[in-house]
Amino acid sequence: MPSQEQVLELHSAPSFLKAPFQMFSNLRKNRNLLKNLIARDFKVNYHGHFLGFLWSMLEPLALTGIFFLVFVILRGQSDTLLPLKIMIGILIFNSFAKTLSSCTSCLIQNSSLIQQVYFPREIFPASIAGFRFTSLCLSISIVIPYMIYENIMPTVMIFLLPISMICSVLLGQGLGMIASVIQVRIRDLKQIIDLIVRAGFFLSGVFFGAEIIPPEHLDLYFMNPVAVFIELARSAILGDFGVLTKVAIIRSILITIAIYLFGSSIFMKYERKAVKFL
Amino acid sequence: MNEDEAIHLENIVLDFPQNHSGATFIKEFLTNRRNKNIDKYFRALDQVSLSIKKGEVFGIIGPNGAGKSTILRVMAGIYAPDQGSIQIKGRVVLLAGLGAGFQSNLTGRENISLSASIYGMGASEIRSLTESIIGFSGIVDFIDRPLRTYSSGMKARLAFSIASHLEPEILLIDEVLAVGDSAFREKSKRRIINMVKGDTTVVLVSHSETTLRDLCDRVACFSDGKIDCLSEDAVEAIERYHVLSGLKKGD
C-alpha cells in the first residue's frame, strides 16, 4: 500500500537521471506484488496444459529438430554440435523476443487494471522480465542431456552463461519499456516490432554458428548484441570463445545496460501521460 | 496542508487527449497539418480545488461525464493532473469495479493472494487475512476451484470480501455498494457503514440519493469538470443535480 510520503510525490515524474533509481526502489517496495505477478504469469501460461511447464522445453526442442532437419537437408551440415547450437540460439533469442514483445504491449494488456488500482507501473515490465528469466533458467536445462551425450564437460566459462541469459532478457525489457509508452499512442508499433524481431531471428545466428560468417563481416555481425549473447551462451557451454571477441562481449553488455537505463528513464517519464491514452 | 486534512486538491486541471488514431493520425503527421476545428484535448477536470478532512464522508454526485470518476482516479494516483497540486495523507484504496486483477483460470484462493497484493497488501498480511476473507465471502466449497466456475454473484462476493479487508485510511468508492444476493448485500452494506462510521476518510461517488443523504457529511455536485455546488446539506446538492440533469435532458 502506498505509504504517506510516496503518495505525496506520486504525481511528479522523477528527473531523467534519478528515474532508474526510483524504479529500483519502487520495485523493491512492491516485491510481494512483483512475486505474485510472476507467479500469475506462470500459472496462467501453463494452466490447463497436460504437460504444463514441460512445454517451455518441448517447444525449443521441437524447433531445434525442425531447423536441424532443414539445414542437414539443404546444406548437408555435418557439425555434430549444430543441434546444441541451434537449441541455445532459440532459447536465448526467444527470451529476448518474447520479453520485448510482451513489454511492448504491457500497458495496453493491463489497461483495465491500471484504471482500477494505482501501483507503480514499472512493475509490469519487471514482472514480464522476471517471468521470462525464470522460464529461461528452467528451459535451458534441456541442453544438459545433450552435453552428457556429446561428453561436453562444463569449464569455468559456464559462469558466462548467466550473463548472457540476464543480458538478453534485460535488453528485451529495456527496448520494450521504450516501445510500451509509444505503443499506447501508435498501436501499429507492436506489428512493426514483431516484424523487426522476425528479421532479427535470421540476422542473429539462431540456427548457425558465428564461424560461418566471413571474417571480414564479423565486426559488423557482432554489432548486434543479441547475436553476441547467443554466441556467448554457446561459448560458455562449449568452453571455447571461437570467433567471439572480448571487445564484442563488453560492448554488448554496455549497450544493454545503457538501453536498460535509458528505457527505464523513458518509461518513468512518460507512463503518466501514456495511461491517459488507454 | 493543514493537520486535520486528509486530501487537499488545488486547482486541479486534467486534460484527456483526444485519440487521433490510425489514418487520421498518420495523415496529420505526414502533412503536418492539423484539423484546427477538432480540439486536441478534452478537459475532464477544470480548476478543481477541494479539501477533505480526516474522517469525513464526502459525497460526489453529478450527471454522466461530469468528471466524478476522474476526480477519484486523480485522488488514487491513477491519473496525474496536468496542472495543480494534490496532497494525500494515508493509505488510499479505490474501489472502482471490483476484483482488480482477477484471473479466471486461477483458483479463488490464488486470486485472493493476487488481488490483495495488487491492492498493496504485504505477504504476511495476506496470509493472516485469507481465512477471514474466505469466511466473509461465504464461498467455502468453491474456494480451491478456478474462478471461471464461479457465478458472477460469487465473483462479486469474493471481490467485495477482499476489498472490505483492506482497511485503508482513505477509501474512494465509485458506486460499488450493491453486490450479491440480498443477504450478502445487507452484510456488505453494514460493512461499508462500519467503515464509513469509523475514522476512515471516505469519498463516495453515487447516484443513490438515500446513500448520500444518510452517510455523507458534505456533498458536491459536479458538472462539466467543475464543482457546481458544494454543500453540507446533501439535499441541496441533490436538488442541484436534478436541475442540471433536467437541463441536459431539456436541450
Side-chain angles (χ1 to χ4, degrees):
Chain A
M1 206 131 301
S3 67
Q4 189 175 323
E5 314 85 87
Q6 222 181 322
V7 176
L8 288 175
E9 66 192 48
L10 166 144
H11 287 305
S12 52
S15 74
F16 204 74
L17 290 175
K18 276 191 193 147
F21 300 103
Q22 174 87 50
M23 185 177 91
F24 292 133
S25 103
N26 283 350
L27 291 179
R28 219 175 62 82
K29 276 183 207 148
N30 292 282
R31 55 188 178 278
N32 180 45
L33 175 56
L34 194 59
K35 217 174 62 195
N36 267 296
L37 286 177
I38 294 174
R40 171 193 78 169
D41 282 346
F42 262 97
K43 288 173 192 158
V44 169
N45 264 291
Y46 298 108
H47 179 91
H49 294 53
F50 187 62
L51 291 174
F53 189 75
L54 278 179
W55 273 114
S56 72
M57 300 175 196
L58 286 177
E59 197 207 341
L61 216 53
L63 275 174
T64 305
I66 296 167
F67 281 122
F68 185 65
L69 275 180
V70 169
F71 279 85
V72 165
I73 294 165
L74 281 183
R75 285 215 313 246
Q77 266 284 1
S78 57
D79 185 355
T80 52
L81 289 179
L82 192 61
L84 181 65
K85 288 182 177 169
I86 295 176
M87 220 183 278
I88 298 166
I90 289 173
L91 287 170
I92 298 285
F93 187 84
N94 271 358
S95 306
F96 162 77
K98 286 182 176 168
T99 311
L100 171 57
S101 172
S102 332
C103 283
T104 302
S105 47
C106 71
L107 290 177
I108 289 178
Q109 286 284 316
N110 291 294
S111 65
S112 68
L113 191 53
I114 288 173
Q115 284 163 358
Q116 259 181 50
V117 190
Y118 176 79
F119 51 81
R121 282 96 185 207
E122 49 273 29
I123 288 179
F124 292 121
S127 78
I128 290 166
F131 165 60
R132 286 293 159 204
F133 181 70
T134 327
S135 170
L136 176 62
C137 288
L138 291 166
S139 55
I140 201 115
S141 61
I142 58 171
V143 302
I144 296 172
Y146 198 91
M147 287 172 74
I148 295 170
Y149 176 73
E150 285 287 339
N151 215 359
I152 300 165
M153 283 305 286
T155 63
V156 72
M157 277 176 69
I158 199 80
F159 290 110
L160 290 171
L161 184 62
I163 296 179
S164 154
M165 289 159 63
I166 292 170
C167 283
S168 58
V169 171
L170 288 190
L171 185 63
Q173 191 197 347
L175 292 170
M177 283 193 289
I178 302 171
S180 66
V181 290
I182 305 173
Q183 162 79 359
V184 293
R185 182 73 208 264
I186 305 170
R187 307 237 169 169
D188 317 58
L189 187 68
K190 188 165 158 53
Q191 266 71 27
I192 299 171
I193 285 182
D194 284 348
L195 270 177
I196 296 174
V197 165
R198 199 154 295 178
F201 184 84
F202 294 95
L203 295 174
S204 304
V206 175
F207 46 84
F208 55 82
E211 61 278 358
I212 70 161
I213 304 281
E216 65 269 29
H217 295 314
L218 261 182
D219 264 349
L220 186 63
Y221 178 74
F222 281 143
M223 289 307 243
N224 172 4
V226 183
V228 174
F229 295 141
I230 290 176
E231 210 48 41
L232 180 62
R234 287 170 181 158
S235 312
I237 287 174
L238 296 172
D240 174 18
F241 275 117
V243 290
L244 189 60
T245 58
K246 289 185 180 65
V247 179
I249 300 174
I250 291 165
R251 184 179 54 211
S252 303
I253 293 174
L254 290 179
I255 289 175
T256 303
I257 294 172
I259 288 181
Y260 187 81
L261 293 179
F262 181 70
S264 47
S265 293
I266 292 280
F267 187 85
M268 295 291 281
K269 187 164 165 28
Y270 289 107
E271 53 93 3
R272 286 168 176 77
K273 279 188 189 142
V275 295
K276 288 186 190 168
F277 280 95
L278 290 174
Chain B
M1 191 169 183
N2 295 329
E3 260 306 293
D4 59 340
E5 281 181 327
I7 302 172
H8 185 86
L9 307 179
E10 225 174 274
N11 296 325
I12 297 287
V13 174
L14 186 92
D15 292 327
F16 274 114
Q18 296 282 37
N19 250 331
H20 291 203
S21 60
T24 328
F25 178 75
I26 290 167
K27 201 172 85 192
E28 282 177 359
F29 184 76
L30 291 179
T31 57
N32 204 7
R33 214 184 300 155
R34 289 237 156 78
N35 190 344
K36 296 264 158 53
N37 296 326
I38 306 172
D39 280 341
K40 268 179 76 190
Y41 292 100
F42 168 71
R43 187 146 288 192
L45 293 175
D46 194 2
Q47 302 278 344
V48 176
S49 298
L50 195 60
S51 125
I52 296 170
K53 289 194 189 68
K54 265 184 203 155
E56 189 176 358
V57 181
F58 191 90
I60 296 176
I61 195 169
N64 292 344
K68 307 184 294 291
S69 299
T70 312
I71 191 98
L72 281 196
R73 282 176 172 73
V74 169
M75 289 177 190
I78 292 170
Y79 296 132
D82 293 292
Q83 288 167 40
S85 72
I86 170 163
Q87 286 174 298
I88 303 256
K89 246 187 238 165
R91 266 167 44 153
V92 186
V93 165
L94 167 69
L95 299 183
L98 287 166
F102 269 16
Q103 291 286 328
S104 58
N105 276 336
L106 302 186
T107 67
R109 200 183 290 275
E110 287 168 331
N111 269 303
I112 290 177
S113 133
L114 179 63
S115 188
S117 69
I118 284 172
Y119 280 116
M121 267 197 212
S124 58
E125 217 179 337
I126 295 174
R127 261 195 304 280
S128 63
L129 285 177
T130 302
E131 286 314 311
S132 159
I133 292 174
I134 296 171
F136 186 82
S137 72
I139 306 166
V140 181
D141 303 340
F142 271 76
I143 202 66
D144 288 310
R145 291 201 212 162
L147 201 69
R148 69 186 131 83
T149 62
Y150 285 32
S151 73
S152 51
M154 285 161 77
K155 261 184 236 170
R157 274 156 61 180
L158 185 63
F160 182 84
S161 184
I162 296 169
S164 69
H165 280 78
L166 295 173
E167 295 183 0
E169 285 153 70
I170 299 171
L171 182 64
L172 313 171
I173 306 177
D174 196 353
E175 304 190 89
V176 279
L177 292 175
V179 290
D181 50 27
S182 64
F184 189 78
R185 206 176 301 179
E186 253 330 287
K187 200 157 92 169
S188 55
K189 203 172 165 193
R190 271 203 305 278
R191 188 92 181 199
I192 292 237
I193 290 173
N194 277 342
M195 282 202 247
V196 168
K197 292 260 167 72
D199 34 1
T200 318
T201 310
V202 180
V203 183
L204 183 69
V205 167
S206 176
H207 280 123
S208 153
E209 290 168 22
T210 39
T211 313
L212 290 175
R213 231 183 354 242
D214 296 350
L215 295 178
C216 296
D217 301 324
R218 278 193 300 165
V219 177
C221 177
F222 269 67
S223 164
D224 293 326
K226 296 190 191 85
I227 297 179
D228 195 272
C229 162
L230 175 62
S231 169
E232 293 190 9
D233 180 14
V235 181
E236 198 185 326
I238 293 167
E239 296 270 297
R240 182 70 194 144
Y241 162 65
H242 283 309
V243 173
L244 283 170
S245 45
L247 277 181
K248 291 254 149 131
K249 267 178 226 154
D251 45 58

